[in-house]
Amino acid sequence: SCVAFLHSAAAAQCILTSQAPGKLTYGTAPSAMSMGVLRVPPPAPPSPRPPACDMGVSYSVEQHGATFTAEVSFERWQEGAMLHLHFDRPVAVSSTDDRASFLGTGALGASHLAAFTLLGDSGPLRFSGKGDAPTPDLVSCSHDPFPAPTPSPPPSAPPDACVLGPRWWVTDESPAGFGARLELRRHQPGAVVRFVFSPALQPPKAVL
């Protein structure tokens, strides 16, 4: 798509226009004005609508003069789920019961949203508001609105038994430490032998 603009030397700015002026004067004088065309990228496509909530939601509303009372019923209730009511106009929510926490309102494309987080007690969710009684054209929900904390890594698996056939025993022991002897049934030059203690011990003072 293209956008036409006028450049005014006096104002030192560009003015978007949809119609060409009757007369153009080119130059640098304060009264000079030139016209140009700028190519701009097309607008981004609208965001796709979320799927309908899978918790078996039904909605009813009653008007009471200048206020209304709405009730949202569920076939399945999930504590912590986030509920979005999509309306075609802004909605003013004034209060809600203790089965949900009202998060606020917002916009998604042409829809106006009212967002709630479901709390522990199952049952119909009721809330009140001001203005004409609204009916949502879509009810969506999110079962995991907040990411879970990063899980701790699993404990390291114990190492496999040594294939060299080790035999280990303590030769002497004292309050200052102990001495130990290791024998191997098989010998392999360059092999690394690891000692795993629980709880961990200090490194040996000497290896003979």
Side-chain angles (χ1 to χ4, degrees):
S1 60
C2 299
V3 174
F5 63 90
L6 293 175
H7 179 265
S8 171
Q13 64 181 356
C14 291
I15 305 171
L16 295 180
T17 180
S18 59
Q19 296 180 353
K23 181 179 179 181
L24 291 176
T25 303
Y26 297 93
T28 58
S31 61
M33 182 174 289
S34 59
M35 184 176 182
V37 177
L38 177 66
R39 184 177 298 275
V40 297
S47 301
R49 286 169 64 87
C53 186
D54 58 358
M55 294 192 294
V57 177
S58 59
Y59 181 91
S60 60
V61 64
E62 294 182 0
Q63 186 74 44
H64 308 285
T67 63
F68 67 87
T69 301
E71 180 177 288
V72 186
S73 300
F74 302 85
E75 295 179 2
R76 295 174 300 279
W77 179 275
Q78 180 181 345
E79 181 182 2
M82 183 180 293
L83 184 75
H84 291 99
L85 305 179
H86 299 245
F87 300 99
D88 60 358
R89 63 181 185 273
V91 176
V93 177
S94 56
S95 63
T96 183
D97 60 18
D98 56 2
R99 291 187 175 89
S101 174
F102 176 58
L103 300 179
T105 58
L108 178 64
S111 296
H112 298 270
L113 307 181
F116 303 82
T117 296
L118 305 184
L119 302 180
D121 295 332
S122 62
L125 160 64
R126 297 180 178 88
F127 66 93
S128 302
K130 300 178 181 179
D132 296 334
T135 299
D137 55 7
L138 175 66
V139 179
S140 63
C141 53
S142 174
H143 298 286
D144 297 305
F146 304 106
T150 304
S152 301
S156 302
D160 296 333
C162 183
V163 298
L164 301 182
R167 179 171 173 261
W168 156 280
W169 68 96
V170 176
T171 57
D172 56 275
E173 188 173 1
S174 68
F178 67 92
R181 181 178 178 87
L182 174 68
E183 289 185 353
L184 301 174
R185 297 179 182 177
R186 299 170 54 191
H187 183 268
Q188 179 179 341
V192 177
V193 179
R194 294 184 176 89
F195 300 88
V196 181
F197 297 96
S198 180
L201 300 178
Q202 296 293 327
K205 296 181 179 179
V207 177
L208 305 178

